[in-house]
mmCIF file of all heavy atoms in Angstrom:
data_model
loop_
_atom_site.group_PDB
_atom_site.id
_atom_site.type_symbol
_atom_site.label_atom_id
_atom_site.label_comp_id
_atom_site.label_asym_id
_atom_site.label_seq_id
_atom_site.Cartn_x
_atom_site.Cartn_y
_atom_site.Cartn_z
ATOM 1 N N HIS A 86 8.503 -3.652 1.116
ATOM 2 C CA HIS A 86 8.272 -2.993 -0.197
ATOM 3 C C HIS A 86 7.091 -3.631 -0.880
ATOM 4 O O HIS A 86 6.311 -3.008 -1.537
ATOM 5 C CB HIS A 86 9.539 -3.022 -1.049
ATOM 6 C CG HIS A 86 10.616 -2.115 -0.558
ATOM 7 N ND1 HIS A 86 10.436 -0.777 -0.395
ATOM 8 C CD2 HIS A 86 11.859 -2.408 -0.242
ATOM 9 C CE1 HIS A 86 11.563 -0.218 0.050
ATOM 10 N NE2 HIS A 86 12.489 -1.134 0.134
ATOM 11 N N TRP A 87 7.050 -4.968 -0.785
ATOM 12 C CA TRP A 87 5.884 -5.696 -1.419
ATOM 13 C C TRP A 87 4.608 -5.211 -0.759
ATOM 14 O O TRP A 87 3.579 -4.980 -1.508
ATOM 15 C CB TRP A 87 6.094 -7.162 -1.237
ATOM 16 C CG TRP A 87 4.944 -7.970 -1.746
ATOM 17 C CD1 TRP A 87 4.684 -8.280 -3.072
ATOM 18 C CD2 TRP A 87 3.808 -8.510 -1.059
ATOM 19 N NE1 TRP A 87 3.491 -8.966 -3.160
ATOM 20 C CE2 TRP A 87 2.933 -9.139 -1.913
ATOM 21 C CE3 TRP A 87 3.488 -8.503 0.354
ATOM 22 C CZ2 TRP A 87 1.727 -9.780 -1.549
ATOM 23 C CZ3 TRP A 87 2.327 -9.122 0.776
ATOM 24 C CH2 TRP A 87 1.453 -9.771 -0.152
ATOM 25 N N ILE A 88 4.564 -5.113 0.547
ATOM 26 C CA ILE A 88 3.342 -4.681 1.217
ATOM 27 C C ILE A 88 2.951 -3.284 0.758
ATOM 28 O O ILE A 88 1.807 -2.952 0.497
ATOM 29 C CB ILE A 88 3.511 -4.768 2.755
ATOM 30 C CG1 ILE A 88 3.623 -6.206 3.209
ATOM 31 C CG2 ILE A 88 2.378 -4.068 3.487
ATOM 32 C CD1 ILE A 88 4.129 -6.404 4.583
ATOM 33 N N GLU A 89 3.964 -2.404 0.694
ATOM 34 C CA GLU A 89 3.772 -1.016 0.224
ATOM 35 C C GLU A 89 3.125 -1.022 -1.205
ATOM 36 O O GLU A 89 2.129 -0.297 -1.482
ATOM 37 C CB GLU A 89 5.077 -0.324 0.236
ATOM 38 C CG GLU A 89 5.005 1.203 0.145
ATOM 39 C CD GLU A 89 6.371 1.727 0.268
ATOM 40 O OE1 GLU A 89 6.949 1.762 1.402
ATOM 41 O OE2 GLU A 89 6.904 2.293 -0.731
ATOM 42 N N ALA A 90 3.716 -1.875 -2.052
ATOM 43 C CA ALA A 90 3.189 -1.970 -3.436
ATOM 44 C C ALA A 90 1.713 -2.449 -3.484
ATOM 45 O O ALA A 90 0.942 -2.024 -4.196
ATOM 46 C CB ALA A 90 4.093 -2.855 -4.267
ATOM 47 N N ARG A 91 1.444 -3.466 -2.610
ATOM 48 C CA ARG A 91 0.050 -3.960 -2.607
ATOM 49 C C ARG A 91 -0.923 -2.942 -2.098
ATOM 50 O O ARG A 91 -2.016 -2.841 -2.613
ATOM 51 C CB ARG A 91 0.033 -5.268 -1.693
ATOM 52 C CG ARG A 91 0.733 -6.472 -2.173
ATOM 53 C CD ARG A 91 0.100 -6.998 -3.470
ATOM 54 N NE ARG A 91 -1.304 -7.203 -3.369
ATOM 55 C CZ ARG A 91 -2.155 -7.119 -4.470
ATOM 56 N NH1 ARG A 91 -1.628 -6.755 -5.628
ATOM 57 N NH2 ARG A 91 -3.424 -7.356 -4.311
ATOM 58 N N CYS A 92 -0.506 -2.133 -1.098
ATOM 59 C CA CYS A 92 -1.368 -1.120 -0.578
ATOM 60 C C CYS A 92 -1.601 -0.032 -1.670
ATOM 61 O O CYS A 92 -2.706 0.476 -1.790
ATOM 62 C CB CYS A 92 -0.710 -0.440 0.706
ATOM 63 S SG CYS A 92 -0.816 -1.520 2.154
ATOM 64 N N ASP A 93 -0.558 0.289 -2.354
ATOM 65 C CA ASP A 93 -0.675 1.211 -3.496
ATOM 66 C C ASP A 93 -1.606 0.717 -4.583
ATOM 67 O O ASP A 93 -2.479 1.459 -5.097
ATOM 68 C CB ASP A 93 0.693 1.593 -4.180
ATOM 69 C CG ASP A 93 1.608 2.420 -3.236
ATOM 70 O OD1 ASP A 93 1.087 2.997 -2.262
ATOM 71 O OD2 ASP A 93 2.819 2.498 -3.559
ATOM 72 N N HIS A 94 -1.549 -0.557 -4.821
ATOM 73 C CA HIS A 94 -2.408 -1.181 -5.806
ATOM 74 C C HIS A 94 -3.879 -1.159 -5.318
ATOM 75 O O HIS A 94 -4.771 -0.803 -6.107
ATOM 76 C CB HIS A 94 -1.943 -2.652 -6.108
ATOM 77 C CG HIS A 94 -2.903 -3.399 -6.939
ATOM 78 N ND1 HIS A 94 -2.970 -3.229 -8.349
ATOM 79 C CD2 HIS A 94 -3.834 -4.339 -6.653
ATOM 80 C CE1 HIS A 94 -3.900 -3.989 -8.819
ATOM 81 N NE2 HIS A 94 -4.452 -4.681 -7.814
ATOM 82 N N LEU A 95 -4.092 -1.479 -4.066
ATOM 83 C CA LEU A 95 -5.474 -1.419 -3.498
ATOM 84 C C LEU A 95 -6.048 -0.012 -3.533
ATOM 85 O O LEU A 95 -7.228 0.159 -3.773
ATOM 86 C CB LEU A 95 -5.440 -1.963 -2.121
ATOM 87 C CG LEU A 95 -5.218 -3.533 -1.948
ATOM 88 C CD1 LEU A 95 -5.052 -3.850 -0.514
ATOM 89 C CD2 LEU A 95 -6.336 -4.257 -2.557
ATOM 90 N N GLN A 96 -5.161 0.969 -3.286
ATOM 91 C CA GLN A 96 -5.602 2.368 -3.320
ATOM 92 C C GLN A 96 -6.037 2.695 -4.726
ATOM 93 O O GLN A 96 -7.030 3.405 -4.963
ATOM 94 C CB GLN A 96 -4.595 3.372 -2.764
ATOM 95 C CG GLN A 96 -5.065 4.712 -2.652
ATOM 96 C CD GLN A 96 -4.167 5.669 -1.841
ATOM 97 O OE1 GLN A 96 -3.152 5.255 -1.359
ATOM 98 N NE2 GLN A 96 -4.577 6.904 -1.735
ATOM 99 N N ALA A 97 -5.253 2.315 -5.686
ATOM 100 C CA ALA A 97 -5.532 2.573 -7.082
ATOM 101 C C ALA A 97 -6.887 1.923 -7.537
ATOM 102 O O ALA A 97 -7.710 2.530 -8.154
ATOM 103 C CB ALA A 97 -4.405 2.127 -8.035
ATOM 104 N N GLN A 98 -7.031 0.697 -7.027
ATOM 105 C CA GLN A 98 -8.264 -0.041 -7.335
ATOM 106 C C GLN A 98 -9.482 0.633 -6.662
ATOM 107 O O GLN A 98 -10.530 0.820 -7.334
ATOM 108 C CB GLN A 98 -8.116 -1.509 -6.748
ATOM 109 C CG GLN A 98 -9.162 -2.475 -7.067
ATOM 110 C CD GLN A 98 -8.858 -3.836 -6.517
ATOM 111 O OE1 GLN A 98 -7.782 -4.063 -5.983
ATOM 112 N NE2 GLN A 98 -9.902 -4.659 -6.496
ATOM 113 N N ALA A 99 -9.334 1.111 -5.434
ATOM 114 C CA ALA A 99 -10.415 1.881 -4.769
ATOM 115 C C ALA A 99 -10.701 3.122 -5.472
ATOM 116 O O ALA A 99 -11.879 3.470 -5.607
ATOM 117 C CB ALA A 99 -10.057 2.084 -3.301
ATOM 118 N N LYS A 100 -9.743 3.830 -5.987
ATOM 119 C CA LYS A 100 -9.942 5.114 -6.682
ATOM 120 C C LYS A 100 -10.749 4.868 -7.990
ATOM 121 O O LYS A 100 -11.630 5.593 -8.240
ATOM 122 C CB LYS A 100 -8.578 5.740 -7.023
ATOM 123 C CG LYS A 100 -8.765 7.169 -7.656
ATOM 124 C CD LYS A 100 -7.440 7.809 -7.947
ATOM 125 C CE LYS A 100 -7.598 9.188 -8.610
ATOM 126 N NZ LYS A 100 -8.762 9.509 -9.303
ATOM 127 N N VAL A 101 -10.434 3.818 -8.680
ATOM 128 C CA VAL A 101 -11.196 3.426 -9.884
ATOM 129 C C VAL A 101 -12.644 3.254 -9.522
ATOM 130 O O VAL A 101 -13.536 3.773 -10.217
ATOM 131 C CB VAL A 101 -10.604 2.199 -10.591
ATOM 132 C CG1 VAL A 101 -11.608 1.706 -11.663
ATOM 133 C CG2 VAL A 101 -9.261 2.562 -11.227
ATOM 134 N N LEU A 102 -12.927 2.506 -8.457
ATOM 135 C CA LEU A 102 -14.269 2.242 -7.985
ATOM 136 C C LEU A 102 -15.023 3.544 -7.577
ATOM 137 O O LEU A 102 -16.158 3.782 -7.954
ATOM 138 C CB LEU A 102 -14.280 1.240 -6.826
ATOM 139 C CG LEU A 102 -13.890 -0.187 -7.257
ATOM 140 C CD1 LEU A 102 -13.663 -1.052 -5.999
ATOM 141 C CD2 LEU A 102 -14.921 -0.812 -8.207
ATOM 142 N N VAL A 103 -14.303 4.389 -6.812
ATOM 143 C CA VAL A 103 -14.892 5.694 -6.347
ATOM 144 C C VAL A 103 -15.227 6.536 -7.603
ATOM 145 O O VAL A 103 -16.305 7.134 -7.674
ATOM 146 C CB VAL A 103 -13.977 6.400 -5.420
ATOM 147 C CG1 VAL A 103 -14.395 7.844 -5.155
ATOM 148 C CG2 VAL A 103 -13.945 5.626 -4.025
ATOM 149 N N ASP A 104 -14.257 6.664 -8.489
ATOM 150 C CA ASP A 104 -14.508 7.471 -9.707
ATOM 151 C C ASP A 104 -15.682 6.968 -10.490
ATOM 152 O O ASP A 104 -16.505 7.719 -11.021
ATOM 153 C CB ASP A 104 -13.207 7.507 -10.580
ATOM 154 C CG ASP A 104 -12.105 8.322 -10.009
ATOM 155 O OD1 ASP A 104 -12.339 9.073 -8.976
ATOM 156 O OD2 ASP A 104 -10.942 8.219 -10.455
ATOM 157 N N ASP A 105 -15.783 5.630 -10.606
ATOM 158 C CA ASP A 105 -16.841 5.010 -11.315
ATOM 159 C C ASP A 105 -18.214 5.280 -10.622
ATOM 160 O O ASP A 105 -19.228 5.560 -11.304
ATOM 161 C CB ASP A 105 -16.673 3.532 -11.440
ATOM 162 C CG ASP A 105 -17.689 2.809 -12.333
ATOM 163 O OD1 ASP A 105 -17.872 3.278 -13.446
ATOM 164 O OD2 ASP A 105 -18.402 1.890 -11.865
ATOM 165 N N TYR A 106 -18.162 5.291 -9.299
ATOM 166 C CA TYR A 106 -19.395 5.638 -8.507
ATOM 167 C C TYR A 106 -19.862 7.059 -8.932
ATOM 168 O O TYR A 106 -21.110 7.242 -9.180
ATOM 169 C CB TYR A 106 -19.138 5.537 -7.009
ATOM 170 C CG TYR A 106 -20.299 5.991 -6.195
ATOM 171 C CD1 TYR A 106 -21.342 5.091 -5.960
ATOM 172 C CD2 TYR A 106 -20.353 7.279 -5.699
ATOM 173 C CE1 TYR A 106 -22.470 5.549 -5.215
ATOM 174 C CE2 TYR A 106 -21.456 7.684 -4.905
ATOM 175 C CZ TYR A 106 -22.511 6.780 -4.670
ATOM 176 O OH TYR A 106 -23.598 7.206 -3.937
ATOM 177 N N TRP A 107 -18.971 7.968 -8.895
ATOM 178 C CA TRP A 107 -19.362 9.303 -9.191
ATOM 179 C C TRP A 107 -19.788 9.558 -10.667
ATOM 180 O O TRP A 107 -20.709 10.247 -10.920
ATOM 181 C CB TRP A 107 -18.213 10.315 -8.851
ATOM 182 C CG TRP A 107 -18.150 10.471 -7.320
ATOM 183 C CD1 TRP A 107 -17.139 10.020 -6.574
ATOM 184 C CD2 TRP A 107 -19.138 11.061 -6.438
ATOM 185 N NE1 TRP A 107 -17.397 10.246 -5.196
ATOM 186 C CE2 TRP A 107 -18.625 10.899 -5.161
ATOM 187 C CE3 TRP A 107 -20.313 11.639 -6.721
ATOM 188 C CZ2 TRP A 107 -19.334 11.402 -4.044
ATOM 189 C CZ3 TRP A 107 -21.015 12.172 -5.581
ATOM 190 C CH2 TRP A 107 -20.554 12.023 -4.297
ATOM 191 N N ARG A 108 -19.134 8.786 -11.563
ATOM 192 C CA ARG A 108 -19.617 8.807 -12.933
ATOM 193 C C ARG A 108 -21.005 8.313 -13.075
ATOM 194 O O ARG A 108 -21.898 8.906 -13.766
ATOM 195 C CB ARG A 108 -18.626 7.992 -13.822
ATOM 196 C CG ARG A 108 -18.953 8.051 -15.304
ATOM 197 C CD ARG A 108 -18.077 7.056 -16.117
ATOM 198 N NE ARG A 108 -18.144 5.702 -15.600
ATOM 199 C CZ ARG A 108 -19.234 4.882 -15.846
ATOM 200 N NH1 ARG A 108 -20.280 5.333 -16.400
ATOM 201 N NH2 ARG A 108 -19.165 3.648 -15.374
ATOM 202 N N GLN A 109 -21.283 7.174 -12.395
ATOM 203 C CA GLN A 109 -22.671 6.629 -12.474
ATOM 204 C C GLN A 109 -23.652 7.549 -11.743
ATOM 205 O O GLN A 109 -24.805 7.641 -12.183
ATOM 206 C CB GLN A 109 -22.714 5.236 -11.856
ATOM 207 C CG GLN A 109 -21.991 4.228 -12.721
ATOM 208 C CD GLN A 109 -22.182 2.808 -12.185
ATOM 209 O OE1 GLN A 109 -23.299 2.350 -11.994
ATOM 210 N NE2 GLN A 109 -21.093 2.114 -11.891
ATOM 211 N N MET A 110 -23.231 8.207 -10.628
ATOM 212 C CA MET A 110 -24.142 9.118 -9.968
ATOM 213 C C MET A 110 -24.560 10.255 -10.863
ATOM 214 O O MET A 110 -25.718 10.647 -10.969
ATOM 215 C CB MET A 110 -23.431 9.760 -8.734
ATOM 216 C CG MET A 110 -23.549 8.836 -7.498
ATOM 217 S SD MET A 110 -25.225 8.801 -6.811
ATOM 218 C CE MET A 110 -25.173 10.183 -5.760
#
Side-chain angles (χ1 to χ4, degrees):
H86 289 304
W87 176 81
I88 291 167
E89 195 175 290
R91 290 299 307 149
C92 289
D93 288 347
H94 173 76
L95 288 171
Q96 187 169 1
Q98 190 178 347
K100 184 179 181 337
V101 166
L102 292 170
V103 167
D104 290 348
D105 186 54
Y106 176 79
W107 288 110
R108 184 188 53 72
Q109 289 188 57
M110 276 291 272

